[in-house]
């Protein structure tokens, strides 16, 4: 499992969203090479994007009409104090929204500190919302995991296991049964929310599946557009192991081989299935997905069975007491 940290420059942000937000760069390219990195997303409780704040300054500051009015009324001593706090906090860029303007007494020190300044007539609310959404994806923590990622019965399922255990052959059978391929070999997962591990395929591997004996197969060309899913949220891991593998856990007769795996601090359910002659793995995986979907709705078959057995034992116990009387 390889964890990657993301980085994006101010100039790249401008190239990606500047036109949509009608930005004007006050002194291009001042501050354009300043990077925003993944690690900065979690600096205590300070958001990456926020309205103007010099107490806990975010990396990207949005100035709307109320903030501009406050800055315009600040005396020189207050202005120097505010600018010192903003520069010391590593602010990378500032967007003057709502068609606001700042005097050169504000802009010159910001430019000298390497802070890119943009202005736009677009509302501050829209600017902040768009930037949060864009940077949330661009700077999401990412991890690459060896396996085959699929959509099975609307559920994002990652098939894992040792090399040559049969992941690709199983994936091919599942595709032939109407399920969809997201990524083979090296699916990439990005943490887009507190519990949202969103997986996709590297562009180089898109549409392809490697199957031993057959080589590289183009799933889109063989099965059509419906056999490919571009991205999917991870919901379940199915770990394939050989019966002789010492890592194979002893299954619970009621609950099966279930545990969880932490990926980017997100706890994901995992089911271990043994690969053995005579096992129809495609059917087992489909059943595992159906059972998991039921558990998400609050129903667990093993718990229902245990309750039924307990009720039967209790009923038998009461019957024996009655016969003694």
């Amino acid at each position: 499992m390889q964890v990657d940290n993301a980085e994006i420059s101010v100039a790249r942000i401008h190239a990606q969203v500047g036109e949509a937000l009608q930005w004007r760069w006050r002194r291009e390219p001042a501050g354009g090479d300043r990077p925003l990195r993944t690690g900065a997303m979690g600096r205590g409780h300070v958001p990456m994007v926020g309205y103007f704040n010099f107490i806990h300054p975010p990396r990207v500051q949005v100035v709307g009409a109320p903030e501009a009015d406050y800055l315009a009324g600040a005396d020189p001593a207050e202005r120097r104090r505010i600018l010192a706090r903003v520069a010391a906090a590593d602010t990378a860029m500032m967007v003057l929204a709502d068609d606001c303007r700042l005097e050169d007494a504000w802009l010159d020190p910001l430019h000298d500190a390497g802070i890119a300044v943009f202005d736009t007539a677009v509302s501050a609310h829209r600017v902040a919302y768009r930037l949060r959404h864009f940077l949330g994806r661009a700077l999401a923590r990412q991890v690459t995991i060896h396996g085959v990622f699929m959509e099975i019965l609307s559920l994002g399922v990652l098939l894992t296991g040792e090399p040559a255990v049969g992941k690709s052959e199983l994936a091919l059978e599942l595709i032939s049964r109407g399920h969809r391929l997201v990524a083979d070999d090296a699916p990439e997962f990005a943490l887009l929310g507190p519990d949202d591990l969103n997986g996709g395929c590297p562009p180089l591997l898109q549409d392809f599946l490697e199957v031993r004996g057959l080589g590289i197969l183009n799933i889109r060309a063989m099965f059509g557009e419906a056999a490919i899913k571009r991205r999917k949220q991870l919901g379940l891991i199915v770990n394939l192991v050989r019966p002789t593998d010492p890592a194979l856990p002893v299954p619970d007769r009621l609950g099966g081989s279930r545990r969880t795996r932490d990926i980017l601090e997100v706890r994901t359910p995992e089911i271990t299935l043994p690969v053995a002659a005579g096992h129809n793995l495609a059917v087992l995986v489909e059943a595992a997905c159906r059972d998991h979907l039921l558990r998400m709705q609050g129903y667990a078959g093993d718990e229902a069975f245990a309750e039924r057995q307990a009720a039967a034992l209790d009923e038998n116990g009461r019957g024996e007491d009655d016969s003694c009387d």
Side-chain angles (χ1 to χ4, degrees), residues 120-167:
T120 177
V122 175
S123 71
H125 174 75
R126 183 183 171 193
V127 170
Y129 176 82
R130 184 65 179 268
L131 284 174
R132 289 190 189 108
H133 179 76
F134 173 77
L135 291 175
R137 289 184 172 272
L139 297 179
R141 296 172 60 195
Q142 297 185 9
V143 62
T144 301
I145 304 176
H146 177 66
V148 184
F149 189 40
M150 302 190 65
E151 183 191 63
I152 303 173
L153 300 172
S154 77
L155 187 66
V157 180
L158 176 64
L159 306 176
T160 65
E162 295 296 323
V165 76
K167 299 184 295 295

Side-chain angles (χ1 to χ4, degrees), residues 38-48 56-60 89-91:
T38 299
M41 296 290 286
R43 298 181 306 136
H45 300 289
V46 180
M48 174 66 75
H56 301 289
R59 295 295 312 281
V60 178
D90 200 25
T91 296

Side-chain angles (χ1 to χ4, degrees), residues 20-277:
L21 293 177
Q22 305 171 32
W23 283 2
R24 295 178 295 273
W25 202 330
R26 296 301 298 266
R27 296 183 187 177
E28 187 177 0
D33 58 350
R34 292 282 290 271
L36 282 77
R37 298 184 176 89
T38 299
M41 296 290 286
R43 298 181 306 136
H45 300 289
V46 180
M48 174 66 75
V49 180
Y51 293 102
F52 184 79
N53 187 331
F54 61 90
I55 304 299
H56 301 289
R59 295 295 312 281
V60 178
Q61 304 233 30
V62 179
V63 177
E67 294 82 12
D69 290 342
Y70 170 78
L71 295 176
D75 59 42
E78 179 71 3
R79 181 170 63 240
R80 287 192 297 271
R81 187 173 71 88
I82 292 173
L83 287 168
R85 292 291 298 270
V86 171
D90 200 25
T91 296
M93 58 184 289
M94 185 176 294
V95 183
L96 309 179
D98 296 320
D99 211 15
C100 296
R101 295 289 186 271
L102 287 181
E103 299 176 353
D104 288 342
W106 285 102
L107 296 178
D108 291 340
L110 292 173
H111 292 139
D112 292 343
I115 299 173
V117 179
F118 304 91
D119 58 39
T120 177
V122 175
S123 71
H125 174 75
R126 183 183 171 193
V127 170
Y129 176 82
R130 184 65 179 268
L131 284 174
R132 289 190 189 108
H133 179 76
F134 173 77
L135 291 175
R137 289 184 172 272
L139 297 179
R141 296 172 60 195
Q142 297 185 9
V143 62
T144 301
I145 304 176
H146 177 66
V148 184
F149 189 40
M150 302 190 65
E151 183 191 63
I152 303 173
L153 300 172
S154 77
L155 187 66
V157 180
L158 176 64
L159 306 176
T160 65
E162 295 296 323
V165 76
K167 299 184 295 295
S168 296
E169 291 84 350
L170 172 58
L172 183 60
E173 183 173 357
L174 288 166
I175 292 168
S176 70
R177 295 169 71 94
H179 307 294
R180 301 204 277 181
L181 173 70
V182 181
D184 178 37
D185 189 50
E188 298 174 337
F189 295 92
L191 184 61
L192 301 184
D195 297 303
D196 183 5
L197 275 173
N198 199 275
C201 185
L204 187 63
L205 304 178
Q206 187 72 50
D207 303 338
F208 293 107
L209 177 71
E210 180 185 4
V211 180
R212 292 178 183 273
L214 295 178
I216 304 296
L217 304 179
N218 188 318
I219 299 302
R220 187 186 299 271
M222 292 176 62
F223 295 92
E225 295 285 338
I228 297 294
K229 178 75 172 180
R230 192 163 189 83
R231 299 197 66 85
K232 187 67 181 179
Q233 181 177 351
L234 178 62
L236 179 67
I237 300 172
V238 175
N239 185 35
L240 306 179
V241 298
R242 297 181 177 87
T244 56
D245 192 330
L248 178 64
V250 178
D252 184 319
R253 290 292 299 274
L254 290 181
S257 299
R258 301 178 183 276
R259 58 181 181 179
T260 58
R261 185 189 301 190
D262 288 342
I263 302 175
L264 296 180
E265 301 174 5
V266 175
R267 184 163 294 180
T268 304
E270 178 180 276
I271 297 174
T272 299
L273 293 179
V275 179

